[in-house]
Amino acid sequence: MNYLPYAFAAPILMAIANIIQKLVVSDDKVHGGVFAGAFGLLVAALTLPFAFFSESLNPQIFTFNVVMVLILMTSLYAVAMWGFFTSMKHVPISEIVFLESATPLWVLSGAVLFLGETFTFYKLLGVSMIILGILIAFRYKGTKRWTKYHTLGLLSGTFYAGAYMTDKYLLHFLPTLFYQVLSFGLPSIALLIFFRRKISDLRYFVVNKRARRIIWSAIFAGLSFYTLFKAYQISDQISLINPIFETKALWVIMLSIILLKERENMYRKIVGILLAFTGILIIHI
């Protein structure tokens, strides 16, 4: 089975989810950690019925090593989700993209060091072209003042890279949908427990009738990670798949051009998109 259809579907679906998330999260009245926890728990809840009806789970797979990696995965995703959603509230999207653009490089390094994947010059060149393409498309010019939210955005990309590697390991043992329930549910429960005093902030979404947008965003995010996890299971090389997933930022641009008619700076956007997709081709040489 070819993993590429799943790998390319994942960033498109996540781009749609991110567009909806930005509309919801930008308001300063809701704590970023609480929103991340509630959002992840919603994705887990929406996935759970499909997991029960389509997959089976053997409790014997929860060996000591698997449980330890599950705890590590929970910690990495919890910090990454909190950092991402908190920075999204306070940092322009172009700066967030810049801060997280190096994630494929961290994944490549980790995959070679910890997962035993083969390092090639083509992988490095392809990842570099993808990062360059993203930066050109968003034309990051730097920020006048570095804040703690920029640091959170930078760290979230690093923690996401670590979490992606635990995904690859755990998907050797767990069915796709059940693992998706765990990978969203466990970090979200941890966040809601940690920020339990801020949970009352969630009433804001109900009062302001934004709950529907959150549900749609959760649906697209769930579908995105399902296709991403399927790609991980089919391919043995996370370093080939993650760079494709990180093009979600460019799909945001393309969807904005098509759906929102945002046609300004088209030349720069086209150059960035072409560079990134050329990088994907080089990686797969």
Side-chain angles (χ1 to χ4, degrees), residues 24-230:
V24 176
V25 173
S26 56
D27 199 295
D28 198 35
K29 295 182 180 180
V30 180
H31 190 276
V34 171
F35 178 85
F39 179 80
L41 202 59
L42 178 59
V43 175
L46 291 172
T47 307
L48 188 59
F50 296 96
F52 270 120
F53 284 107
S54 63
E55 296 177 344
S56 59
L57 185 64
N58 184 356
Q60 293 182 348
I61 64 176
F62 291 100
T63 62
F64 177 78
N65 287 342
V66 168
V67 171
M68 290 296 101
V69 178
L70 276 171
I71 294 173
L72 176 61
M73 176 274 293
T74 299
S75 303
L76 290 170
Y77 265 126
V79 176
M81 291 165 62
W82 167 64
F84 176 76
F85 283 108
T86 301
S87 63
M88 185 183 285
K89 285 164 54 67
H90 302 281
V91 178
I93 189 65
S94 60
E95 296 181 21
I96 293 175
V97 170
F98 172 79
L99 294 171
E100 296 199 335
S101 62
T103 300
L105 192 58
W106 309 142
V107 171
L108 174 60
S109 302
V112 172
L113 292 174
F114 301 111
L115 299 181
E117 294 189 11
T118 304
F119 175 84
T120 68
F121 171 75
Y122 291 113
K123 286 184 179 180
L124 179 60
L125 178 60
V127 165
S128 301
M129 290 188 69
I130 291 171
I131 294 173
L132 180 61
I134 292 172
L135 297 182
I136 290 175
F138 276 85
R139 196 183 178 185
Y140 177 74
K141 294 181 177 179
T143 181
K144 294 180 180 179
R145 186 170 66 91
W146 185 272
T147 69
K148 61 182 180 181
Y149 302 111
H150 291 83
T151 302
L152 281 177
L154 182 64
L155 290 176
S156 70
T158 307
F159 278 92
Y160 269 126
Y164 294 152
M165 284 182 281
T166 63
D167 290 340
K168 178 61 178 172
Y169 175 83
L170 291 168
L171 283 166
H172 282 298
F173 306 96
L174 293 163
T176 309
L177 289 173
F178 273 111
Y179 178 67
Q180 181 163 310
V181 172
L182 294 175
S183 66
F184 276 95
L186 293 178
S188 299
I189 292 171
L191 284 171
L192 291 175
I193 292 174
F194 191 81
F195 296 112
R196 57 189 177 277
R197 296 182 180 179
K198 296 286 186 178
I199 290 179
S200 59
D201 289 356
L202 294 173
R203 290 179 298 179
Y204 172 79
F205 291 117
V206 178
V207 173
N208 288 272
K209 299 180 179 179
R210 297 189 177 189
R212 185 179 300 177
R213 288 181 177 177
I214 297 175
I215 292 172
W216 277 110
S217 179
I219 290 172
F220 281 108
L223 290 171
S224 172
F225 270 87
Y226 173 74
T227 56
L228 179 66
F229 291 159
K230 289 294 289 185

